[in-house]
Amino acid sequence: MTSLRHRLRDFIDIFSPRYCAVCGCRLNTTEQILCAGCRMRLPYMRIDDFYDNPISRLFWAKIPVEKAASFIHYKHDSDSHLLLMQLKYNHRPDIGRSMGEVMAQDLQRRGFFQDIDAIVPIPLHWKRFWKRGYNQSMQLAMGINKVTRIPILGKAVRRVRNNESQTSKSFQERMENVDDLFEAKPITPYRHILIVDDVLTTSATMLACAKALLDKNPGISMSILTLAKA
Ligand SMILES: [Zn+2]
């Protein structure tokens, strides 16, 4: 940040102070979303091999996944839980954009985005979108786009059913519950898609979205990126 922008930020912070999304302490001029301490303490996954890791293995033999990564571990009653809750339920789309940027800066240094030519954020059902006012996965995609310039295909997939909460269901029930959850369009000329979501829990939603895309676009390659992994 230039010194002029620093001074402007200082000035704005006096009248409209910003607070850490996790611990609530006041942020200084150079901090975004999280204070330095909370940012350091986040439970980073630090995935080295993008082709063979606990995320990519969830999709083996189900869909043709090239690369897969999640940025942080999601644990209940932890800093990562607080961060995700703020992103989804406290009207903080800025957390999505900022974390998308942070995640993309780290992964770009390590070649994660090579060969990927478009980003597809997992869509919300329109009713949920209307209630929340934004799609947190789209916000993450916008942060990634800011760093990588990879285009976002925001209308490639539509969520046609508003599935109830997945948390109290068995894996089988979850898989059945996401059947026909999405409808996709042809995405020519794009050949390698990065599907982006906020949290990966059972992989059922991600799989349903990937299958919908494959159904309309046979032969495309897919990679997967989520902010957190439960
Ligand atoms: Zn903090």
Side-chain angles (χ1 to χ4, degrees), residues 12-102:
I12 293 168
D13 278 356
I14 291 169
F15 299 103
S16 177
R18 299 166 307 126
Y19 299 96
C20 172
V22 168
C23 73
C25 77
R26 195 163 167 176
L27 295 178
N28 70 33
T29 319
T30 57
E31 292 168 335
Q32 295 285 332
I33 307 294
L34 298 171
C35 70
C38 287
R39 191 171 292 270
M40 209 169 63
R41 280 192 303 273
L42 273 185
Y44 295 104
M45 288 196 70
R46 302 186 199 287
I47 288 172
D48 290 324
D49 186 341
F50 297 130
Y51 296 89
D52 180 0
N53 60 58
I55 315 294
S56 65
R57 276 176 231 145
L58 289 172
F59 300 94
W60 284 359
K62 294 175 186 135
I63 50 165
V65 160
E66 299 242 339
K67 293 175 263 192
S70 292
F71 197 52
I72 55 175
H73 290 282
Y74 175 85
K75 291 177 191 143
H76 270 292
D77 301 323
S78 70
D79 289 358
S80 58
H81 173 78
L82 266 172
L83 189 65
L84 266 295
M85 289 298 104
Q86 297 262 22
L87 167 63
K88 283 170 86 159
Y89 304 112
N90 202 23
H91 200 81
R92 292 292 306 269
D94 57 316
I95 293 178
R97 285 195 302 279
S98 181
M99 291 310 294
E101 271 184 61
V102 171

